[in-house]
Amino acid sequence: MISTRILVADDDPVVREVVRRYLERDGMTVIETADGPATAEVLARDDIDLAVLDVMMPPPDGIELTRMVRSGPHPDTPIILLTALGEEDDRILGLRSGADDYVTKPFSPRELALRVASVLRRARAAPASAEEVVRSGEIELRRSARTVRIDGAAVDLTAREFDLLAFLLTNPHRVFSRNELLAEVWGWTFGDLSTVTVHIKRLRAKLGAAHRIDTVWGRGYAWERADSGELPRSSAAEEPHRAD
C-alpha cells in the first residue's frame, strides 16, 4: 500500500521536524524542503498528495508557488499555507492565489494534521450519489469528472471551489451562513470564516455573469435567490463579513 505523501516546505527546521513527526504519526510520508527552488522541483514531479507551504520562505515563496501550481500542469494539488499570525493580507492573498486552506503561526501541530486530513478527505471524496450532471442556466457541472463548463467553455476551478459550487448548485434558493458552509464544504467545525468569504468572491469572479450567488445580508449566501417570497432559512445564519 502506497503511503500518503505530504510535502512540508519551510525554512525553519524546527517547524519541519515537528510537523513531520505529527504527520508520520498519522501514517503519512513527509518530504521536506527549505526554500522555493527545491519546493518547486518537488511540486513539478507531481508525486505528492498535498503540499504545506510557508508563505515567508526564501523565494519563490508559498504564495508564488501556489500560483505556479494552479497555472501549471497539476492544478488540483491540494495546498495548505503557513502564514504569520496577524498577517491577514497574506492569508487573503494566499486564498485568492488558490490555496485550499491556511494555518497561522504559531500553530498547534495537531490542528495542522487535522487540516491536512480534512483537505485530503475532500480532495479524494467519491462523487455523491446525487445526480451526476448538475445544470443551472449556462453552467454544467459533472461530479465524477469534476469539471465545470459555461456554455461549453471549461472553467478552471480549484478542488475547494468545485466543492463549494457543487454544494450551492445542489441546494439552490436556501440561505447558508458562513459557519454552515465551512462545515458542509470544508468539513470543519472550526476555522476562519474569511476562508468562505474569499472562496465565494473567487467563485463569482471565475463564473462571471453566469454566477447566481447572492448575498443575503444578516444571514449568508444563497444560489439563485428568489425574487419574491421568503427564502427557507438555515440555522445559525449570520451576516457575511466583507462579502462581495
Side-chain angles (χ1 to χ4, degrees):
M1 180 177 178
I2 299 176
S3 174
T4 300
R5 293 169 60 86
I6 308 297
L7 169 62
V8 177
D10 195 298
D11 60 342
D12 187 336
V14 175
V15 171
R16 297 199 308 272
E17 180 184 359
V18 171
V19 173
R20 175 178 55 76
R21 284 194 280 114
Y22 270 83
L23 294 179
E24 288 180 344
R25 190 178 302 174
D26 289 344
M28 301 179 186
T29 298
V30 176
I31 300 95
E32 298 181 37
T33 56
D35 58 37
T39 304
E41 183 178 335
V42 175
L43 289 168
R45 295 203 298 261
D46 191 34
D47 60 356
I48 62 167
D49 297 286
L50 180 144
V52 178
L53 310 178
D54 180 27
V55 168
M56 297 300 292
M57 68 180 164
D61 63 23
I63 291 176
E64 292 177 84
L65 289 165
T66 299
R67 288 173 175 154
M68 289 167 55
V69 170
R70 294 298 177 239
S71 62
H74 315 296
D76 294 329
T77 302
I79 294 174
I80 296 176
L81 293 179
L82 300 179
T83 69
L85 183 63
E87 296 298 327
E88 182 178 6
D89 289 345
D90 283 344
R91 298 198 295 273
I92 299 301
L93 183 57
L95 291 171
R96 286 177 176 168
S97 299
D100 295 277
D101 190 15
Y102 64 84
V103 175
T104 57
K105 295 180 177 181
F107 58 86
S108 158
R110 192 61 200 151
E111 178 186 348
L112 176 58
L114 289 172
R115 295 289 185 96
V116 167
S118 173
V119 172
L120 284 171
R121 186 166 54 249
R122 301 298 298 187
R124 295 169 170 173
S129 58
E131 186 180 2
E132 159 64 14
V133 180
V134 184
R135 294 184 175 86
S136 178
E138 313 97 300
I139 298 174
E140 177 187 89
L141 179 145
R142 292 184 177 270
R143 290 180 179 274
S144 60
R146 294 184 68 82
T147 60
V148 174
R149 292 182 177 275
I150 297 178
D151 283 336
V155 180
D156 184 21
L157 301 181
T158 66
R160 195 70 74 181
E161 290 165 355
F162 180 92
D163 293 338
L164 177 58
L165 178 60
F167 180 78
L168 292 172
L169 285 180
T170 52
N171 294 278
H173 313 307
R174 179 180 172 186
V175 182
F176 292 94
S177 70
R178 290 184 301 156
N179 273 320
E180 289 173 315
L181 290 173
L182 201 64
E184 294 288 347
V185 178
W186 278 258
W188 305 339
T189 55
F190 60 90
D192 190 334
L193 297 180
S194 65
T195 299
V196 177
T197 307
V198 171
H199 277 76
I200 289 285
K201 185 172 183 177
R202 279 182 15 212
L203 194 53
R204 283 170 167 161
K206 289 187 177 183
L207 298 179
H211 94 74
R212 299 291 183 271
I213 305 173
D214 291 320
T215 297
V216 184
W217 292 105
R219 294 165 58 186
Y221 300 102
W223 184 268
E224 290 189 330
R225 183 183 186 184
D227 290 330
S228 60
E230 180 68 16
L231 287 170
R233 293 191 65 126
S234 57
S235 62
E238 62 181 8
E239 180 174 345
H241 174 62
R242 294 175 60 184
D244 294 282

